[in-house]
Amino acid sequence: MHQLLRRSLPALAALGIAVGAPLLTAGAAQAQAEHGCGTVGVQFSVDGGKGWISDGRMSQPHGVIQVRLAGDVVEGCDYRISLASYDTEGPTWATSGKQTFLGWATTTLRSGNRQATLDVSAHLPKCYGQIDLYNGDKKFDGVANPAPRYPDGVFSDNLISAWNGGKACVPTPTGTPTVPVPTSSASPTATATPHPTGTPTATTTPSATATASPSTTAKPSAPATTGTPSSGTPSTTPAVPAPSAPADTTGPVGKPTANPVSTTPDSTLASTGGNSSQMIVYGAGGAALLAVGGGALVIARRRGARR
């Protein structure tokens, strides 16, 4: 009996080590993967990827921004980042007043897709405005979610970077044009002056002298028409565009980090074919077998030494 036990103990020890070690390793790997999703660094580029920055404020409004994850990213962890554009009533966060949603873009980054482009260039503010780069995929448009309004920031700790600034809208020009009125003058003149003359003379010698010298003068002058139209000049003074206000540097400052959608990688369960509860059970069983095998090996060595 003792000889049989002595022969079986090494085999039992080997079995415990062979079965328990992989299960413990798998359980540890599973636990590490389940808690592997965490905050990672994020960078963005406003020049097509030539330069990358991690600045919590933007000095200019940018409609096309490239974003990328920086550092180690656990496989199966997702990070969602969005870009939104708004019209505002003032050039600073404190004077932004009511904000009107203009456009929005979102993307999901992960280990196999660490970089993407967000484009709201067709929806940039034309006057005062605000641009926000933030974590998450919520649309803060005043319908699905509330739009930003000072002093209530809707991005909480999810803001990555932001811009406030712009210029006042140019007022629509108004004016009443003067319609030209033509003027005319006509001065026709006509003069007729008859001068009949008759001087009879009677003497002893009859003689008759009759002189008639009628004189008629008519000098009509041609009608003169003078028209001097006055050119009309619209009384419209073009408005001078208001200068752009400097970018607001006192608004909320973002953090150059990307927050995971969840702390558990999405691909963990699919790749292992199990769940955490099963792995815990397997790990405990492996530990027990490893302990039994190790104990059996120690006993076998002691008995061998006594002999």
Side-chain angles (χ1 to χ4, degrees):
M1 181 68 180
H2 291 291
Q3 186 176 3
L4 179 62
L5 180 62
R6 186 180 63 182
R7 292 179 179 177
S8 62
L9 283 177
L12 183 61
L15 178 63
I17 295 173
V19 176
L23 289 177
L24 285 177
T25 303
Q30 174 73 12
Q32 182 180 5
E34 284 184 352
H35 298 86
C37 291
T39 300
V40 298
V42 63
Q43 298 175 327
F44 63 94
S45 174
V46 296
D47 57 4
K50 296 178 182 178
W52 294 88
I53 56 178
S54 300
D55 197 340
R57 295 293 300 176
M58 289 183 278
S59 60
Q60 296 291 331
H62 299 285
V64 180
I65 295 179
Q66 289 181 306
V67 291
R68 71 178 184 184
L69 300 178
D72 295 332
V73 180
V74 176
E75 184 176 358
C77 299
D78 290 341
Y79 299 85
R80 294 171 186 164
I81 299 177
S82 299
L83 181 68
S85 175
Y86 301 89
D87 270 338
T88 64
E89 297 178 344
T92 66
W93 167 239
T95 62
S96 58
K98 180 182 178 181
Q99 298 198 18
T100 304
F101 176 79
L102 297 178
W104 170 79
T106 188
T107 188
T108 300
L109 303 179
R110 55 178 64 92
S111 60
N113 180 36
R114 299 171 64 99
Q115 180 176 323
T117 299
L118 299 171
D119 188 351
V120 294
S121 57
H123 309 286
L124 287 177
K126 294 180 175 59
C127 306
Y128 294 134
Q130 177 172 311
I131 303 291
D132 294 305
L133 181 67
Y134 59 96
N135 282 282
D137 59 354
K138 286 186 177 182
K139 182 190 291 187
F140 296 96
D141 58 353
V143 179
N145 296 284
R149 187 183 181 101
Y150 180 83
D152 300 323
V154 296
F155 306 111
S156 183
D157 294 331
N158 291 322
L159 185 65
I160 298 174
S161 189
W163 169 85
N164 290 87
K167 60 184 179 181
C169 288
V170 178
T172 303
T174 58
T176 304
T178 302
V179 179
V181 179
T183 59
S184 62
S185 61
S187 304
T189 57
T191 304
T193 308
H195 296 285
T197 304
T199 307
T201 302
T203 59
T204 56
T205 303
S207 63
T209 305
T211 305
S213 45
S215 174
T216 304
T217 304
K219 298 179 180 179
S221 61
T225 303
T226 304
T228 305
S230 60
S231 59
T233 302
S235 57
T236 302
T237 303
V240 178
S244 297
D248 179 23
T249 58
T250 61
V253 179
K255 296 182 297 183
T257 56
N259 301 328
V261 175
S262 69
T263 58
T264 303
D266 296 336
S267 61
T268 299
L269 299 182
S271 60
T272 59
N275 56 43
S276 58
S277 299
Q278 290 176 339
M279 294 307 298
I280 292 174
V281 174
Y282 293 157
L289 288 174
L290 186 61
V292 171
L297 184 60
V298 171
I299 293 174
R301 288 180 176 176
R302 287 179 178 177
R303 289 186 175 181
R306 290 175 183 176
R307 291 179 180 272

